[in-house]
């Protein structure tokens, strides 16, 4: 186990851990924020045609708002983590959720497409920093051998969003008005502010905390390699998911009403993967990461081969969703390799996943535009997971070399 993990173990033994009820309430409050963020991030994918019609743009042009949100996550996570290095974690969580709520409520009232795109960028800024800090808070309240499961419970909000939040907002957004979806997400943000205020205990900032210490995370090769695994190896999930609506209607020849069903199946898979993956990560962190990359190669290839069959498409969508098993493992791995710069590293994990989102959607779009069809996005995803294995292998090699050096 790494040095930082050992340090956490010692700290956990020296300090009196909070009661199980306190831990559960904190995890519930943090997961509520994850539910709001996940709903806001993914709901737009099912509402792009409605947004395009409102602002008189094409659906591909409306897709720019997805990129704007992802860019907000990529930029916001490291910048906020550095600038807020001397801020108490509870205060930072409250601030991030207020920004998120304001961004989404304002998105619902945007007068022009340009304004809406800018507000989606603003809404994405707190995303990575929130999940990173929330994961650190949750992990600090449990014994070291249960950290990944604590992180998984926080991320449960994100996975439940794909199961309930996204399909529901897609349905009501299509039936009523897409603005209702973003207003609802803003209300969830405000609810999270209240829950964090009441249940997350106040904390003290370390005297050594500062932006220079946080920036030290980027001097560690293992931080870059772990972020690289996320950015490259898990773009495949997004290559498939970004075009799932068109795959459902144009490849499997199902009606538009089947799209929410596919979203639910993907959400069920993400929840199953989050639960199983966090448990496995506490048993074998690196084994879970490497195993999930191999798993993704298999299921994404199967997706492309079976997409024309409605039943096998549904099964494949569920299995691809299960690939989220690596989420808690990668988040916990970053805690281990970042040493005393954990906030920046933990927040940057979600920047890496949004880079994966952008890469996957972009490459998937290129393959579709090249005439290979929507089902070919699975092959794109399998190729990205295969490349991710090389990054993972480099991380393993470096870790073994460092262990050998320490043993001398």
């Amino acid at each position: 186990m790494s040095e930082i993990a050992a340090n956490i173990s010692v700290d956990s033994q020296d300090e009196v851990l909070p009661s199980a009820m306190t831990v559960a309430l904190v995890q519930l409050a943090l997961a509520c924020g994850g539910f709001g963020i996940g709903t806001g991030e993914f709901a737009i994918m099912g509402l792009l045609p409605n947004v395009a019609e409102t602002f008189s743009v094409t659906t591909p042009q409306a897709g720019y708002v997805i990129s704007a949100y992802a860019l907000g996550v990529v930029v916001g996570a490291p910048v906020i983590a550095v600038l807020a290095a001397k801020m108490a974690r509870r205060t930072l969580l409250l601030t991030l959720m207020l920004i998120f709520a304001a961004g989404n409520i304002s998105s619902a009232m945007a007068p022009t497409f340009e304004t809406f795109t800018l507000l989606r960028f603003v809404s994405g800024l707190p995303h990575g920093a929130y999940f990173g800090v929330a994961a650190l808070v949750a992990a600090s309240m449990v014994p070291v051998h249960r950290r990944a499961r604590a992180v998984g419970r926080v991320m449960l909000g994100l996975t439940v969003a794909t199961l309930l939040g996204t399909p529901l907002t897609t349905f009501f957004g299509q039936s009523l008005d897409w603005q209702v979806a973003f207003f609802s997400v803003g209300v969830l943000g405000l609810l999270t502010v209240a829950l964090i205020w009441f249940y997350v205990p106040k904390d003290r900032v370390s005297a050594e905390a500062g932006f220079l210490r946080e920036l030290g995370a980027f001097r560690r090769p293992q931080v870059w390699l772990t972020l690289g695994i996320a950015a490259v190896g898990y773009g495949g999930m997004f290559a498939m998911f970004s075009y799932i609506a068109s795959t459902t209607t144009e490849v499997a020849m199902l009606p538009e009403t089947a799209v929410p069903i596919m979203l639910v199946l993907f959400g069920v898979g993400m929840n199953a993967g989050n639960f199983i993956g966090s448990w496995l990560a506490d048993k074998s962190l690196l084994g879970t990461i490497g195993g999930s990359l191999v798993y993704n190669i298999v299921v994404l290839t199967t997706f492309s081969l079976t997409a024309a069959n409605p039943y096998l498409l549904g099964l494949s969508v569920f299995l691809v969703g299960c690939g989220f098993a690596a989420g808690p493992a990668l988040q916990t791995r970053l805690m281990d390799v970042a040493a005393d710069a954990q906030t920046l590293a933990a927040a940057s994990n979600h920047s890496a996943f949004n880079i994966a989102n952008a890469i996957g959607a972009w490459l998937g779009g290129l393959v579709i535009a090249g005439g290979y069809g929507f089902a070919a996005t699975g092959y794109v995803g399998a190729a990205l997971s295969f490349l991710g294995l090389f990054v993972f292998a480099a991380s393993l090699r470096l870790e073994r070399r460092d262990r050998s050096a320490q043993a001398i």
Side-chain angles (χ1 to χ4, degrees), residues 252-318:
M253 306 304 293
L254 292 169
E256 189 180 52
T257 53
V259 174
I261 297 175
M262 292 298 168
L263 296 178
V264 169
L265 288 172
F266 185 78
V268 172
M270 286 188 72
N271 278 276
N274 180 62
F275 177 78
I276 296 171
S278 58
W279 181 82
L280 289 174
D282 277 329
K283 305 297 181 183
S284 175
L285 197 59
L286 293 175
T288 302
I289 295 172
S292 67
L293 287 167
V294 175
Y295 170 85
N296 283 344
I297 294 173
V298 174
V299 297
L300 285 164
T301 301
T302 302
F303 169 84
S304 290
L305 294 173
T306 61
N309 184 300
Y311 297 104
L312 293 179
L313 173 64
L315 176 61
S316 294
V317 168
F318 165 77

Side-chain angles (χ1 to χ4, degrees), residues 43-53 58-66:
I44 185 63
M45 296 178 182
L47 297 173
L48 278 183
N50 308 83
V51 171
E53 182 180 358
T58 66
T59 299
Q61 287 175 324
Y64 295 156
V65 302
I66 297 177

